[in-house]
Amino acid sequence: MNAPDTDRGTSGSTGSNPFGRALFNKPSARALRRVGVVDVGSNSVRLVVFDGAARSPAYFFNEKIMCGLGAGMLETGRLNPEGRARALNALHRFAHLARAMDTGPLTCVATAAVRDAADGADFQAEVKALTGLDLWVIDGREEARLSAQGVLLGWPGAYGLVCDIGGSSMELAEINGGTVGRRVTSQLGPLKLRDLKGGSKARRTYIRNTIESMTTELGEQKNRLFLVGGSWRAIARIDMERRGYPLNVLHEYRMRASSVRDTLRYIHEAPDLTALRQRAGVSSARMALVPQAAEVLRELVRTFKPHDIAISSYGIREGMLYEQMPQQLRDRDPLIEACRFTEAKDARVPGFGKMLYHFIMPLFKRARPERVRLIKAACLLHDVNWRAHPDYRADICFDTATRANLGGLKHSERVFLGLALLHRYSNSRSVTRIEKVSQMIDAPMRRDAEILGRAMRFGAMLWPQRDADPGKLHFYPKKRILEFNLAPEAAAMFGEVAQARFTSLAASLDSQPVVKGAIAP
């Protein structure tokens, strides 16, 4: 690991050409397959094995044990005895799993509980003796840096304030243009707050004073607030439940300050926290810490007044993966690089997505760069679910986009991409749950997704090879004409089904279909 005060590994560039040559087959990227990291936190101990070659983290293996190492430390100054035994057992298992999965040496870090405990060094030595693992105990500033790098893994070029809450500590780090800036740490973890003497009044005073001190070091931070950590994710799940939010994806879930305040009030006034956590899908161990975390979040929002709040599922573990990425891979668009990887792995004709993209782009000449990026992603993913049963392909494509672990996607963009892929296989979206999620975007955006889907549906009919020439599309919106100049070598491919799909595409554009060139008899 790096020395705690360094900022090596932060990226200042988001890359100017996200559609360039894929990197996942280069040696520097291939070396990231089966990257294993272990995070020994105050509340949980987790092993994650990444396939990191595709820029977006793919979770080859993920196991968490809620050990509670930091429980009771405020009173005893030592690691919780039961938590310590459970953590040792977990690490012993993780070491065996890593050898079986051929991860190479695990990168293992321990955070607040182990670094603050009087017996932390003894625990570190015991881990080494029992498992052979080197457990790196990092300070709060390094923890903040790694968590911020995890956010950058999903949002290259992001700016704002990253807040990572664990069981025994809370860290803040500013990010700007893909670079990690100032960092501060505190003991505002829910486990510590739960053990604080003096009740709710003492907690509120301690929280306010601590955050004011952190503010002095960080200065004004009114941009986006990125929330990292299990307690924040639990609160976000409850916010989703309260709002009846239709897309149950935590990463990139956005909240306004007013929504956070409403949800914190909702938690405080809940007559039955057990029923609430069950409705929201929160574990009992995590829910036990939510009331204290809610008090911290209320003060954070009051103090920093962020313009919006985003949940990041990526944190310290993803930051450790980012640490090992070559700069060239860090600078890539995580969405496009991951879609390229998926196409290469799962599509029937890898490379066809690029051909399809160039074929249909005349329909989207006025599209903004952020929309062009989604069109590119859709074309790369248009055929990756071909093994699914034909009756369910459209639904599975929708779920692939809306629920897949992809970085660099807003929820509205997930829905757009999902609808486009659905319409690649179907003209209808009559399934109730899909129609409900589709209402998250406005009617013009839904129409554009349908046009994109029908364009891919038509284009996929015209050639079975990645380097063939099907002809050219021309769209004349003022004349309301969609023209297809069919290449002679593709004439045999333009059968009845292709003709029907071309007509359907023209109808979605409210245009007349015109075909020029040789047509097969």
Side-chain angles (χ1 to χ4, degrees), residues 345-466:
K345 179 169 62 73
D346 295 329
R348 284 173 289 190
V349 185
F352 177 86
K354 183 178 179 180
M355 298 280 296
L356 182 59
Y357 166 76
H358 289 297
F359 176 68
I360 68 174
M361 273 309 293
L363 306 181
F364 305 100
K365 288 181 179 178
R366 298 180 181 179
R368 295 183 175 181
E370 57 269 25
R371 181 62 55 83
V372 171
R373 175 177 179 262
L374 296 178
I375 294 169
K376 177 71 170 181
C379 289
L380 291 169
L381 295 177
H382 90 283
D383 190 48
V384 300
N385 293 117
W386 65 272
R387 287 185 176 87
H389 190 283
D391 292 348
Y392 302 107
R393 240 177 239 157
D395 288 6
I396 290 171
C397 282
F398 183 80
D399 289 340
T400 294
T402 55
R403 300 178 185 276
N405 183 54
L406 293 170
L409 268 180
K410 300 175 185 176
H411 279 202
S412 60
E413 293 173 330
R414 283 181 180 271
V415 175
F416 176 88
L417 188 56
L419 286 177
L421 291 170
L422 180 150
H423 286 296
R424 153 68 176 94
Y425 285 106
S426 172
N427 288 328
S428 170
R429 53 174 185 271
S430 58
V431 179
T432 302
R433 69 175 179 86
I434 291 177
E435 187 58 35
K436 184 178 180 181
V437 175
S438 74
Q439 297 304 309
M440 291 175 59
I441 60 177
D442 61 24
M445 198 171 181
R446 291 196 298 272
R447 178 177 179 270
D448 287 351
E450 183 172 347
I451 291 168
L452 173 56
R454 292 190 183 195
M456 294 189 295
R457 186 170 170 80
F458 168 60
M461 291 291 296
L462 295 177
W463 67 97
Q465 298 169 328
R466 56 184 289 178

Side-chain angles (χ1 to χ4, degrees), residues 452-488:
L452 173 56
R454 292 190 183 195
M456 294 189 295
R457 186 170 170 80
F458 168 60
M461 291 291 296
L462 295 177
W463 67 97
Q465 298 169 328
R466 56 184 289 178
D467 55 354
D469 178 16
K472 303 294 182 184
L473 281 175
H474 299 282
F475 179 44
Y476 305 99
K478 290 183 179 180
K479 296 180 181 179
R480 298 201 174 281
I481 291 175
L482 178 63
E483 181 179 291
F484 177 40
N485 290 298
L486 181 63

